[in-house]
């Protein structure tokens, strides 16, 4: 059984006075999809570039399958990576782009047609990449990562630019790859993209490791017994419940979240005060909430319009 | 895991991959088309527009010290040239029949030179060379009417026929005897060429003059300084020819029959007897288009790397092959080979097409020696022109790797290799000479096929030393490129 782990050991990367990655250590295991999340500028891409020997770390080391990436003479059979879907020559045909990558690793030409088929680009294989949409380029990049049928996959924001159908496809595809026993590391700056896909999460903020945990653990540890109340009279609700010793947080124009009281107690208090409410129930924190809370203080950049586009 | 492939196979795969990259983008084809079109077009334009009348002047040289006596009718003259002073590789000592003693009169002569063996000449129009016959020689010249046969021998016993030539010298009258000449030396006084006369010397033994009927010639030996009148017609040292004052020679005769003769000057004409008036290298001129064709080599070389930085495709490349040195090695080999082969596809036809154009325009023998594609020196020029283009492409690849941006790299390369040389060529000889010696363009020297006259300003370096300068620049730039590529983040 070959070693299929990805390991970061005390990785450090500086750009001038900015510490982009700060003594980052983690291990990515085989057989599951590991989400690599953090806001823009958290150091995800830099870390991935260091793993793949594109950038030189200022400290520490990254091992892939127990070895530095530079020790692989023909890495495609072990590691497949997609870092930047735009990093292709626009004047080259998709099949030629994949062909030279294959030739570098001694992979037969027919594999090019196979991977084009896998990612659904077989009909445009002979077209020049310059005319491709971002989504098509993502698929081409994934095709490139799959060329050598590698046991380890490293994908930086692969969902970016994909249409809803493409997003569905890649989620299923990543799960399938992990189920086959491969190591799959997928980065995203949006937790929602990974919520249904990732089994394990590595969360970064400002170059530091914030969490290295399973999705289930993360949800359990952060959502306490909270009760969500829907009401048109928000301020009266807050007053009434606060008086009874509860912590109340506003979570929407007509919703508040209550901590420290049972559901029965909330119902009786509201009834006694004649405050109308349209709904009451147990509140479960979404992964997104947890992530937002965790990274709020670690955000380097304010949300850019791109984020919304990616969400849509 | 099985063992990884060896270095050769890894490099082979990298070569294949980089070739796929090069052939799969349109800019490569465009750049190569530019290289071919500009080289061919400008070579053709230059060959069509450039004309000369140098050959019409019929420049000949006829100046030497002559020790002679009259010969009536046919006869044979024989002598052993015992020792010749090495004043010049083309210094001449030998035997002659001449139609009088005036410079420019018809003659037939056989002679030995210190550096180029035995020559048989007639009337400054015909020459038979025997370059292998070096060292002390016995010479013999036999006249039958206007037909003269020359012989040479190492020992005076075994004679080899050098050839038979026809002279315009009238049979029946004329002079026969010994002659010595040594061509003048060039010394530059500032920018002005100055020819200083040189006195050559040779010792003759066993001199005999035998008329056709047998017996011995009855005449006595006389000394004449054969030289053109100081401001006479241009029969001798004429237009553009090395002109030098006459240095009086003489002869001394010893009791044992040894004759020592000294004299200055030369005999022959441009293209004969080592007399060189060539001011244009035909082969080099026929390939002159590479000076602009190299724009295509610059484009393909620089873009092969800068396009990867621009599209960030360099990351994809290093993901596919983390061995960065192998990547640059493969790029260099693929690029060099492709440009070299494309270069040959244009330099060979350019040579073949411009040759007849040059003939029509006056660039022909004898002043501009005949050339043939099978001549090693010509072949060196044609193959060298393609190598030059390949090296310029490699230099551009290296600069592209160092600079990383297309615009920056191309501007620097065009400025250094095209724009500045073109401006300098039209304005400053000093600057142009510097560019031809000390910049990558010095590599054009590999196109030289003939030795030009020393006064010609076209000569810059000899064929290989200029080429070595280009090789040096290319190696240095590639070394810097390798170092930076390994060090920098991709």
């Amino acid at each position: 059984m070959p070693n299929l782990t990805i390991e970061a050991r005390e990785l450090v990367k500086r750009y001038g006075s900015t510490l982009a990655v700060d003594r980052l250590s983690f291990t990515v295991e085989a057989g599951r999809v590991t989400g690599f999340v953090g806001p823009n500028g958290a150091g995800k891409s830099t870390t991935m570039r260091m793993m793949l020997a594109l950038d030189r770390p200022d400290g520490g080391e990254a091992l892939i399958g127990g070895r530095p990436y530079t020790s692989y003479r023909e890495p495609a059979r072990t590691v497949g990576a997609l870092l930047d879907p735009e990093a292709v020559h626009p004047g080259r045909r998709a099949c030629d782009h994949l062909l030279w990558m294959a030739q570098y690793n001694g992979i037969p030409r027919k594999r090019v047609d196979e991977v084009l088929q896998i990612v659904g680009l077989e009909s445009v294989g002979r077209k020049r990449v310059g005319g491709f949409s971002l989504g098509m380029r993502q698929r081409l990049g994934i095709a490139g990562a799959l060329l050598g049928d590698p046991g380890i996959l490293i994908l930086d924001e692969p969902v970016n630019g994909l249409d809803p159908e493409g997003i569905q496809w890649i989620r299923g595809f990543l799960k399938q790859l992990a189920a086959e026993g491969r190591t799959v590391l997928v980065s995203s700056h949006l937790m929602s993209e990974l919520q249904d896909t990732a089994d394990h999460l590595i969360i970064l903020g400002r170059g530091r490791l914030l969490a290295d945990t399973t999705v289930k653990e993360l949800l359990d540890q952060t959502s306490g017994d909270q009760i969500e109340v829907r009401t048109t009279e928000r301020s009266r609700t807050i007053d009434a419940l606060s008086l009874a010793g509860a912590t109340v947080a506003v979570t929407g124009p007509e919703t508040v979240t209550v901590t420290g009281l049972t559901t029965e107690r909330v119902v009786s208090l509201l009834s006694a005060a004649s405050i109308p409410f349209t709904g009451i129930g147990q509140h479960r924190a979404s992964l997104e909430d947890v992530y937002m809370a965790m990274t709020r203080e670690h955000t380097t950049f304010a949300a850019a319009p791109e984020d919304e586009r990616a969400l849509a | 895991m099985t063992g990884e492939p060896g270095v050769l196979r890894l490099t082979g795969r990298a070569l294949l991959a980089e070739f796929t990259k090069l052939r799969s983008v349109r800019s490569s084809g465009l750049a190569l088309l530019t290289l071919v079109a500009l080289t061919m077009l400008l070579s053709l334009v230059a060959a069509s527009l450039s004309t000369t009348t140098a050959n019409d002047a019929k420049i000949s040289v006829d100046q030497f010290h002559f020790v002679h006596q009259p010969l009536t009718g046919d006869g044979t003259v024989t002598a052993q040239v015992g020792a010749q002073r090495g004043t010049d590789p083309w210094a001449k000592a030998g035997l002659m029949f001449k139609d009088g003693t005036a410079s420019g009169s018809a003659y037939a002569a056989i002679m030995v030179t210190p550096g180029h063996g035995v020559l048989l000449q007639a009337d400054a129009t015909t020459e038979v060379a025997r370059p292998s016959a070096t060292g002390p020689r016995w010479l013999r010249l036999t006249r039958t009417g206007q037909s003269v046969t020359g012989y040479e021998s190492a020992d005076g016993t075994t004679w080899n026929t050098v050839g038979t030539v026809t002279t315009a010298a009238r049979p029946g009258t004329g002079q026969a005897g010994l002659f010595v000449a040594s061509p003048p030396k060039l010394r530059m006084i500032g920018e002005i060429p100055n020819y200083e006369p040189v006195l050559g010397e040779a010792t003759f033994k066993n001199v005999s003059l035998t008329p056709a009927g047998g017996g011995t010639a009855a005449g006595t030996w006389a000394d004449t300084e054969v030289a053109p009148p100081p401001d006479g017609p241009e029969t001798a040292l004429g237009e553009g020819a090395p002109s030098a004052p006459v240095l009086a020679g003489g002869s001394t005769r010893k009791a044992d029959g040894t004759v020592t003769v000294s004299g200055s000057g030369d005999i022959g004409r441009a293209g004969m007897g080592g007399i060189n008036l060539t001011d244009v290298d035909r082969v080099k001129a026929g390939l002159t288009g590479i000076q602009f064709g190299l724009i295509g080599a610059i484009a393909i070389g620089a873009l092969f790397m800068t396009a990867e930085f621009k599209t960030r495709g360099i990351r994809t490349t290093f993901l596919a092959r983390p061995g960065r040195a192998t990547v640059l090695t493969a790029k260099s080999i693929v690029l060099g080979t492709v440009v070299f082969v494309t270069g040959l596809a244009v330099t060979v036809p350019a040579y073949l097409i411009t040759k007849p154009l040059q003939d029509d325009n006056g660039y022909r023998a004898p002043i501009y020696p005949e050339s043939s594609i099978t001549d090693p020196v010509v072949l060196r020029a044609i193959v060298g022109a393609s190598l030059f283009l390949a090296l310029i492409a490699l230099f551009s690849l290296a600069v592209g790797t160092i600079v990383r941006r297309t615009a920056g790299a191309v501007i620097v390369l065009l400025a250094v290799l095209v724009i500045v040389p073109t401006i300098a060529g039209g304005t400053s000889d000093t600057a142009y000479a510097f560019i031809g010696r000390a910049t990558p363009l010095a590599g054009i020297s590999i196109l030289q096929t003939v030795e030009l006259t020393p006064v010609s300003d076209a000569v810059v370096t000899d064929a290989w030393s200029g080429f070595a300068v280009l090789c040096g620049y290319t190696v240095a730039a590639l070394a810097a490129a390798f170092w930076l590529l390994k060090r920098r983040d991709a």
Side-chain angles (χ1 to χ4, degrees), chain A residues 13 52-56 69 72-75 84 86-92 96 99-100 103-106 128, chain B residues 4-5 10 13-14 16-18 20-21 24 26 311-313 316-317 319-322 324 486-487 489-490:
Chain A
K13 182 72 183 177
L52 297 164
L54 293 175
D55 285 10
R56 189 187 285 260
Y69 193 75
Y72 290 94
R73 303 196 176 231
E74 298 188 328
D84 182 355
E86 308 277 5
V88 287
H89 194 299
R92 198 169 277 136
D96 286 332
L99 178 60
W100 71 254
Q103 284 169 332
Y104 252 126
N105 286 274
R128 294 189 191 271
Chain B
E4 291 192 320
L10 279 169
R13 286 171 179 172
L16 209 59
E18 288 298 335
T20 299
K21 272 191 202 169
S24 60
R26 286 196 186 107
T311 61
R312 296 186 302 281
T316 317
T317 299
L319 285 180
R321 179 60 66 90
R324 297 183 181 186
K486 286 191 93 163
R487 254 183 75 88
D489 286 344

Side-chain angles (χ1 to χ4, degrees), chain B residues 118-470:
Chain B
V118 170
L119 302 173
L120 174 68
Q121 277 191 10
D123 300 344
T125 50
T126 326
E127 183 176 74
V128 182
R130 188 62 66 83
S132 55
T134 54
R137 285 282 137 181
W138 289 73
L139 300 175
R140 174 173 288 166
L141 204 56
T142 300
R143 169 169 189 171
T144 311
Q146 283 174 289
S147 177
V148 178
T149 305
Y151 307 86
E152 58 88 12
S153 166
D155 51 15
T157 316
T158 317
W159 290 89
N160 309 309
T161 308
V162 176
T164 300
V165 291
T166 306
T167 170
R170 288 159 292 165
T173 61
Q175 300 290 328
L178 322 168
F179 77 96
V180 166
S182 185
K185 283 259 183 295
L186 172 78
R187 195 149 295 160
M188 299 295 287
I189 301 171
E191 299 244 313
I192 302 156
N194 187 48
Y195 285 95
E196 293 175 354
V198 174
L199 200 62
E201 192 182 86
T203 304
F204 298 79
K205 292 175 188 168
N206 304 310
V207 181
S208 72
L209 175 62
T210 316
T216 315
T220 51
W221 294 104
D223 282 77
T224 303
E225 211 63 65
V226 176
D231 43 7
E234 288 184 0
T235 51
L237 299 173
E239 178 196 343
S243 166
V246 176
L247 210 60
S251 67
T252 53
R253 178 179 292 270
K254 282 187 189 156
D256 62 357
T258 308
V259 189
T260 305
V261 183
S262 60
S264 71
D266 213 339
I267 64 167
R269 69 157 189 201
M272 274 175 59
I275 298 169
N276 179 15
L277 300 178
T278 314
D279 56 351
V280 168
D281 188 327
R282 284 185 63 174
V283 177
K284 188 177 179 184
L287 296 171
T288 194
I290 64 162
Q291 292 185 60
F292 289 94
L294 64 81
I295 291 171
I298 291 172
I300 193 171
L303 276 175
F304 198 22
M305 198 46 125
T306 56
E308 293 225 20
F309 284 112
K310 186 180 181 228
T311 61
R312 296 186 302 281
I314 193 73
R315 291 185 183 163
T316 317
T317 299
F318 289 156
L319 285 180
R321 179 60 66 90
R324 297 183 181 186
T326 318
V327 170
L328 189 51
T329 305
K331 272 189 186 296
S332 303
I333 295 173
V334 166
L335 177 72
T337 309
V338 166
V339 174
F340 176 70
V341 171
T342 311
L344 279 183
V346 64
T347 54
V348 173
Y351 168 77
L352 294 174
I353 294 170
T354 53
K355 203 160 94 92
L357 290 175
Q358 292 172 331
D359 282 335
D360 290 348
N361 286 342
Y363 288 99
R364 55 180 175 262
I367 291 189
Y368 306 100
E370 195 51 48
S371 74
S372 156
I373 197 159
T374 53
D375 181 349
V377 179
V378 175
L379 214 51
R380 178 184 74 190
I382 295 171
V383 174
S386 314
L387 266 181
F388 169 81
L389 292 170
L391 280 166
I392 290 290
L394 288 181
F395 180 69
S396 306
L397 175 76
V399 170
T401 309
I402 295 164
V403 177
R404 292 197 276 193
R405 291 186 189 269
T406 307
V410 170
I411 287 170
V412 166
L413 288 163
L414 282 181
V416 171
L417 299 174
V418 182
I419 298 165
V420 172
T422 306
I423 294 170
T427 50
S428 161
D429 288 346
T430 330
Y432 193 63
F434 173 79
I435 287 164
R437 277 197 185 90
T439 73
L441 274 192
I444 276 187
S445 70
I446 195 73
L447 272 71
Q448 284 160 209
T449 59
V450 293
E451 214 170 295
L452 304 182
T453 55
V455 279
S456 161
D457 55 357
V459 166
V460 175
T461 62
D462 76 83
W464 288 110
S465 62
F467 193 68
V469 171
L470 171 60

